[in-house]
Amino acid sequence: MSSTEVFAVADVHYRYLERFVALAGVSLDVHAGERVGLLGANGCGKSTLLKVLAGLVHPDRGTVSGFGKELTEAALEDEQFARGFRARVGFVFQSSDAQLFSPTVRDEVAFGPLHLGFDGAEIEQRVDDVLALLGIAELADRAPYQLSGGEKKRVAIASVLVTNPDVLLFDEPTAALDPRTQHWLLDLVVELHRAGKTIVCATHDLASLDQVADRCIVLSENHDVVAIGPPQEILADVDLLEATNLVHTHEHRHRNGIHTHRHDLDHHRPSISANWEADELRTHSTERGTPTS
Amino acid sequence: MTTPEWLTRPETRFGPCTCCGRRSKGDLVEKTLAGSSRLIRSAMFSADMAARDGFLQRTDARVKVVATVALLLVVALVHHVAVVIGLYAAVLVLGVVSRIPCRFLLTRVWCFVPLFTGVVVLPAAFSFVTPGHVVVPLGTWFGTPVGLTSQGLTTAALVVTRVATSISLVVLVTITTPWPRLLAALRALFVPRAFVVVLALAYRYLFDLLNTVTDMYEARKARAPRDHDVARSRAFVAATAGATFGKAHALSEEVYLAMVARGYAGQATAIDRGRIACADVYVFAAAVTIVVAAMGVDHVLH
Amino acid sequence: MHIPDGYLSPSTCAVAAGAMTPVWFTAGRRLRKVVTHRYAPLVALAAAYCFCVMMFNVPIPDGTTAHAIGGVLIAVLLGPWAAVVAVSVALAIQALFFGDGGVLAFGANALNMAFVMPFVGYGVYVSLAGRAPLQSRRRAVAAGAGAYVGLNAAALFAAVELGLQPALFHTANGTPLYAPFRLSQTIPALALAHLTVAGAVECALTIGVVTYLQRANVPLLRLNHRDVPLDDAEAHDRRLSENARRRGRGRVALLVFGIGALLTPIGLLAQGNAFGEDAPADLDLHRYHLQSVPNGLAHYAGFWHHALLAGYGFGHDAHPIFGYVVSAIVGMAAIAAVAFLLVALLGRARSRYGPRSGARSVPR
């Protein structure tokens, strides 16, 4: 095991509610300081895999270790290990609503440090700093349910960053955000990576893949790993993307005929045309319809 | 994917999109939607009131909670309607100095207290329920005079004024105190921590669940007009209630994981800020004075 | 049924809150043992859900709608102890934030709706459902019946709390200080409302939700029914242990005992004196062809009055109703204690002389 290894997952199987398969023999590793993108269609097990990495759910079969120690239920019941692990691993959930459970934004951001045993003055300082960093200082006394989707995401990230974790797990961070907030978030991820954080990001947003990942891990709809490689390589393998339902062949009617082409799942995003992946994909499209006039 | 043929032609069977003059009212969908939006509006109104710069808003929440309980006890303990009315006047004055619109406090209480408490208590004024000295005779019943008794009228007035004063007081304090502060106050006083944590979480996710319910009801409303079949409507309500439970349970699981991910290990803690200021001591003294004065006057009237 | 402040005397409120304190304490401890760290989020969401249920307008045949409470529904879904905390929290939010139900009267409201309702309802549900499979119609109907009985039990408690007020708290000239209606008025009034409309609504909603979950989301029903087989086929596969059957019998006994306890306040409605319930001197001895009070009876009556309760101020018929209620509670507690002791002794004898049969089920 190399010294830079953060997570090592070996042949992990997991069934949701002991019935529905979510992971079927997944193996991968994550090294310190790298950005890993977990790719896969809805329901392929990305979220579950992140929860396994975060030590929140435990596999039925196979092993997962974090920072060189196996993440079992017993290990995480050990107070010292649990504290050390929770402080080092930050998890931004897909649903901000689930993550923002405190009465106010300030309480929310203070929750992590409080439960990890930071002292009072330091908590105050850190909360103020991180609220300022994410530009949400004026929301401090608001209740989470009063916030917009973008504001909620900022608060969720603040509540994770406040403990200064080494590893950040993002579950579809850009889903349901407006383009401006998406760009802000992608910039933040780049910034955090530059600051030395390890980042694991589950996504099916191919357009922003190169910003969040140095290495991609593709999960199939059979809940196993089908490819690992740099984003350019993965995005170029259109057959793979189609097999994993990350792009689809799509037929639609224009005023002047029918044509068929492949889309990535976010083809409706206004920012897409600026990204090279999209152009790359479009070059693979095949024209079938013929102009009528 | 092949599109079925019927989907490509317009549907003609529903008649024109114009009014026929028949209105359906009192629909359960509408009522539930109205109830839910009323609740959210009232929560927002409270947040607005709590943000105003007034007397009660400046007072420490712990002082307010203790003083409120003391005043509620006095309202419940005194025996004279006049004293209760005096206390009610004091509550209204408190509202005014806290920049709460007087009309809000009056309508909030007098729109429904007479309707519920008044109607319920009214029969108690008659000699059938409260025997005693008949002051407004309404005839005789087997030789005994019946009518409104002084005892009955007193008890009816006492209950109505008590209910009105208690509700005004509680409403006044809750709308001048931000919910998180109220929770912190409860935690600081005598309420067990676990209970306050659950209370805070429940209040926070209440709005989430309400939004789920609202979405389902709006979707129902968008799909089809009012259903007059009671059994079918009931099945719809049961289905939404069941689906909401599913959502609540899934959410509780997700929230639990989100808490654990940030170091929660079953022991709930929270930041406690704020200390009792000099002004708060005066407020507390004032509350004690009111309590003692009300009890004293009540004793003298005895 | 939410009693606002002003209807109950502070002492009634204090007694109710005092009665609820050990219940809350036990509920908290039991839940934490079973669901451990999940306690806070699980119970909080249940409370938020309970609050939502109270918002649902359930249609009733006359074209209007009414509200349910959901205490028994949550007891069926998550167990009665979770229902205690969830309904209490929902009531606290209503009282503190929306001015619905009193702050001082919170203990009394919690006693009725967060304790009596889920426990009585759940008892009825468990007794009626028996070992019926999880997806059977019988289970849904049992839940509905539990909701109906539970709601009416809660209403009966509320009626007793309100009805005791004029007898216990009035001025010298007979002016009631709090709720002015007597038991003979509050019990029929509340019973009428809850036996008909409110009971029907509670019952319909509970059956509806259980039926919906039976069809749409069985794993949720599993939360509180780990050992119950899914359908007839699965029930057939399982050999049910002697242990479970014995527990079933205990449940029937509990049900009978509970109904008896609930009927106690009805005695307060009776006009005149029941034979033997009053002091021996009140008896119309000639009607029973007796010349004097039998010695033994007089002796025991004296013991009861002077030795046990005299010091508490209600030995001398100062508060006859209070005395009746206290006697009922003391009596039931005594019977329960004796029964418990007997069962414990029998159990010990059995475990000593015979092997324990059947596997233990997962503790709930």
Side-chain angles (χ1 to χ4, degrees), chain B residues 26 28 31-32 35-36 39 42-43 46 69 72-73 76-77 79 108 112 116-117 120-121 123-124 128-131 151 154-155 158-159 162-163 166-167 170-171 174 179 182 186 194-195 197-199 201-203 205-206 209-210 213 217 226 230 233-234 237-246 248-249 251-253 255-256 259 264-266, chain C residues 4-10 24 32 36-49 51-53 55-66 73-74 77-78 85 88-90 92-93 95-100 103-104 106 171 173-182 185 200 204-205 207-209 212-213 215 217 220-221 223:
Chain B
L28 75 107
K31 273 192 193 167
T32 307
S36 150
L39 206 73
S42 114
S46 298
V69 172
L72 283 174
L73 273 172
L77 283 172
H79 290 182
R108 176 79 174 74
F112 89 100
F116 291 91
T117 308
V120 168
V121 172
F128 300 108
V129 175
T130 314
Q151 281 92 337
T154 312
T155 192
L158 202 54
V159 171
R162 268 213 192 105
V163 170
S166 306
I167 290 178
V170 172
V171 165
T174 50
W179 177 248
L182 191 59
L186 292 178
F195 187 79
V197 168
V198 173
L199 195 64
L201 274 173
Y203 183 77
Y205 284 105
L206 172 62
L209 291 187
L210 275 178
V213 173
Y217 275 67
R226 178 179 181 181
V230 173
S233 310
R234 257 205 310 263
V237 173
T240 48
T244 310
F245 181 71
H249 182 259
L251 200 52
S252 82
E253 201 51 28
V255 169
Y256 167 70
M259 291 169 88
Y264 174 77
Chain C
D5 282 333
Y7 278 88
L8 298 177
S9 73
W24 283 320
R32 228 172 295 197
T36 57
H37 296 171
R38 276 179 175 75
Y39 169 75
L42 183 72
V43 174
L45 262 300
Y49 176 67
F51 191 101
C52 281
V53 167
M55 297 258 324
F56 278 112
N57 286 272
V58 183
I60 48 178
D62 73 338
T64 53
T65 60
L73 176 62
I74 292 176
L77 295 175
L78 295 174
V85 185
S88 297
V89 169
I93 292 178
L96 285 177
F97 209 77
F98 299 101
D100 203 356
V103 171
L104 291 183
F106 172 64
T171 60
N173 72 353
T175 309
L177 283 168
Y178 302 98
F181 300 101
R182 293 185 291 273
Q185 293 150 342
L205 186 78
I207 291 187
V209 172
Y212 170 84
L213 292 177
R215 244 189 10 230
N217 203 339
L220 282 183
L221 284 178
L223 292 173

Side-chain angles (χ1 to χ4, degrees), chain C residues 33-340:
Chain C
K33 217 185 213 164
V34 178
V35 295
T36 57
H37 296 171
R38 276 179 175 75
Y39 169 75
L42 183 72
V43 174
L45 262 300
Y49 176 67
C50 181
F51 191 101
C52 281
V53 167
M54 296 186 196
M55 297 258 324
F56 278 112
N57 286 272
V58 183
I60 48 178
D62 73 338
T64 53
T65 60
H67 295 272
I69 293 174
V72 181
L73 176 62
I74 292 176
V76 170
L77 295 175
L78 295 174
W81 293 107
V84 167
V85 185
V87 181
S88 297
V89 169
L91 290 175
I93 292 178
Q94 287 186 324
L96 285 177
F97 209 77
F98 299 101
D100 203 356
V103 171
L104 291 183
F106 172 64
N109 283 323
L111 178 67
N112 305 336
M113 285 180 274
F115 177 56
V116 173
M117 181 170 177
F119 269 93
V120 171
Y122 192 69
V124 169
Y125 163 72
V126 167
S127 322
L128 292 182
R131 279 166 291 153
L134 201 53
Q135 285 182 309
S136 64
R137 182 77 191 141
R138 180 171 160 191
R139 229 161 237 288
V141 173
Y148 186 82
V149 177
L151 180 79
N152 278 287
L156 185 60
F157 261 70
V160 171
E161 286 152 15
L162 291 168
L164 285 175
Q165 302 301 313
L168 297 179
F169 309 99
H170 50 77
T171 60
N173 72 353
T175 309
L177 283 168
Y178 302 98
F181 300 101
R182 293 185 291 273
L183 281 169
S184 56
Q185 293 150 342
T186 57
I187 292 180
L190 277 160
L192 185 70
H194 289 89
L195 284 170
T196 54
V197 178
V201 163
E202 195 76 39
C203 174
L205 186 78
T206 308
I207 291 187
V209 172
V210 173
T211 311
Y212 170 84
L213 292 177
Q214 283 177 333
R215 244 189 10 230
N217 203 339
V218 181
L220 282 183
L221 284 178
R222 279 261 187 239
L223 292 173
N224 189 39
H225 298 85
R226 273 166 219 275
D227 301 334
V228 178
L230 193 62
D231 46 28
D232 285 323
E234 196 183 324
H236 207 75
D237 291 345
R238 290 194 194 188
R239 208 169 53 81
L240 287 153
S241 64
E242 178 70 19
N243 200 5
R245 219 169 301 157
R246 207 164 50 229
R247 215 170 39 182
R249 230 178 282 145
R251 282 172 184 164
V252 173
L254 251 179
L255 178 70
V256 172
F257 189 72
I259 291 176
L262 282 172
L263 291 177
T264 314
I266 307 287
L268 294 166
L269 294 178
Q271 297 288 322
N273 301 321
F275 177 84
E277 282 206 13
D278 277 290
D282 292 345
L283 295 174
D284 186 358
L285 295 172
H286 295 289
R287 251 172 62 195
Y288 305 107
H289 308 290
L290 289 173
Q291 294 304 312
S292 65
V293 176
N295 269 343
L297 187 55
H299 177 76
Y300 286 116
F303 165 75
W304 180 249
H305 266 240
H306 298 294
L308 269 180
L309 296 172
Y312 298 95
F314 35 72
H316 307 290
D317 295 335
H319 288 308
I321 292 173
F322 198 36
Y324 177 91
V325 173
V326 170
S327 309
I329 293 170
V330 170
M332 287 192 310
I335 293 169
V338 169
F340 181 77

Side-chain angles (χ1 to χ4, degrees), chain B:
Chain B
M1 182 164 45
T2 51
T3 312
E5 188 268 330
W6 53 262
L7 195 59
T8 60
R9 25 179 192 87
E11 201 71 54
T12 48
R13 81 183 76 170
F14 295 121
C17 211
T18 52
C19 299
C20 72
R22 205 174 66 213
R23 298 264 188 275
S24 51
K25 267 188 188 154
D27 183 20
L28 75 107
V29 174
E30 292 294 342
K31 273 192 193 167
T32 307
L33 284 176
S36 150
S37 81
R38 203 166 41 236
L39 206 73
I40 293 169
R41 267 209 310 277
S42 114
M44 273 159 43
F45 177 79
S46 298
D48 289 349
M49 290 297 119
R52 289 192 179 187
D53 184 29
F55 171 73
L56 282 175
Q57 288 89 335
R58 280 195 299 266
T59 309
D60 186 274
R62 287 162 285 186
V63 173
K64 273 190 277 190
V65 170
V66 173
T68 306
V69 172
L71 285 171
L72 283 174
L73 273 172
V74 173
V75 171
L77 283 172
V78 295
H79 290 182
H80 294 276
V81 179
V83 181
V84 182
I85 292 176
L87 286 165
Y88 181 63
V91 172
L92 288 185
V93 170
L94 265 180
V96 171
V97 297
S98 305
R99 304 204 182 170
I100 304 300
C102 211
R103 225 184 60 206
F104 163 76
L105 273 184
L106 290 172
T107 51
R108 176 79 174 74
V109 168
W110 294 109
C111 275
F112 89 100
V113 167
L115 241 132
F116 291 91
T117 308
V119 168
V120 168
V121 172
L122 195 65
F126 292 92
S127 51
F128 300 108
V129 175
T130 314
H133 179 60
V134 176
V135 283
V136 184
L138 297 169
T140 56
W141 180 264
F142 291 107
T144 49
V146 295
L148 301 172
T149 63
S150 72
Q151 281 92 337
L153 287 171
T154 312
T155 192
L158 202 54
V159 171
V160 169
T161 50
R162 268 213 192 105
V163 170
T165 311
S166 306
I167 290 178
S168 306
L169 187 61
V170 172
V171 165
L172 188 59
V173 170
T174 50
I175 67 168
T176 55
T177 317
W179 177 248
R181 275 279 182 85
L182 191 59
L183 288 173
L186 292 178
R187 205 167 42 224
L189 292 168
F190 34 76
V191 185
R193 188 154 285 231
F195 187 79
V196 179
V197 168
V198 173
L199 195 64
L201 274 173
Y203 183 77
R204 188 254 174 273
Y205 284 105
L206 172 62
F207 294 97
D208 250 54
L209 291 187
L210 275 178
N211 279 337
T212 308
V213 173
T214 307
D215 285 349
M216 281 191 279
Y217 275 67
E218 267 168 358
R220 164 74 185 73
K221 201 169 115 181
R223 268 211 302 254
R226 178 179 181 181
D227 192 345
H228 289 275
D229 183 285
V230 173
R232 246 193 340 251
S233 310
R234 257 205 310 263
F236 167 71
V237 173
T240 48
T244 310
F245 181 71
K247 157 109 182 174
H249 182 259
L251 200 52
S252 82
E253 201 51 28
E254 197 79 358
V255 169
Y256 167 70
L257 293 182
M259 291 169 88
V260 170
R262 284 199 268 148
Y264 174 77
Q267 256 333 302
T269 41
I271 33 175
D272 286 315
R273 276 162 296 129
R275 60 174 77 111
I276 304 275
C278 193
D280 296 321
V281 177
Y282 291 135
V283 174
F284 192 69
V288 171
T289 315
I290 293 178
V291 168
V292 172
M295 295 302 281
V297 171
D298 194 59
H299 195 74
V300 170
L301 286 174
H302 214 44

Side-chain angles (χ1 to χ4, degrees), chain A residues 51 56 86 89 91 93 97-104 106-108 110-112 114-116 124 144-146 159, chain B residues 43 47 180 183 200-201 203-205 207-208 251 254-255 257-265 267-271 273:
Chain A
K51 282 176 188 165
L56 295 173
R86 300 290 176 218
V89 179
F91 191 168
F93 280 65
D97 274 322
Q99 190 154 17
L100 306 184
F101 43 75
S102 303
T104 67
R106 181 179 293 279
D107 288 318
E108 191 62 64
F111 184 91
L114 259 173
H115 284 81
L116 293 167
E124 296 258 333
Y145 69 86
Q146 298 171 328
S159 68
Chain B
L183 288 173
L201 274 173
Y203 183 77
R204 188 254 174 273
Y205 284 105
F207 294 97
D208 250 54
L251 200 52
E254 197 79 358
V255 169
L257 293 182
M259 291 169 88
V260 170
R262 284 199 268 148
Y264 174 77
Q267 256 333 302
T269 41
I271 33 175
R273 276 162 296 129

Side-chain angles (χ1 to χ4, degrees), chain A residues 140-159:
Chain A
D141 293 317
R142 296 267 290 279
Y145 69 86
Q146 298 171 328
L147 305 178
S148 73
E151 288 169 337
K152 280 181 190 168
K153 192 55 94 183
R154 285 169 195 251
V155 176
I157 294 173
S159 68

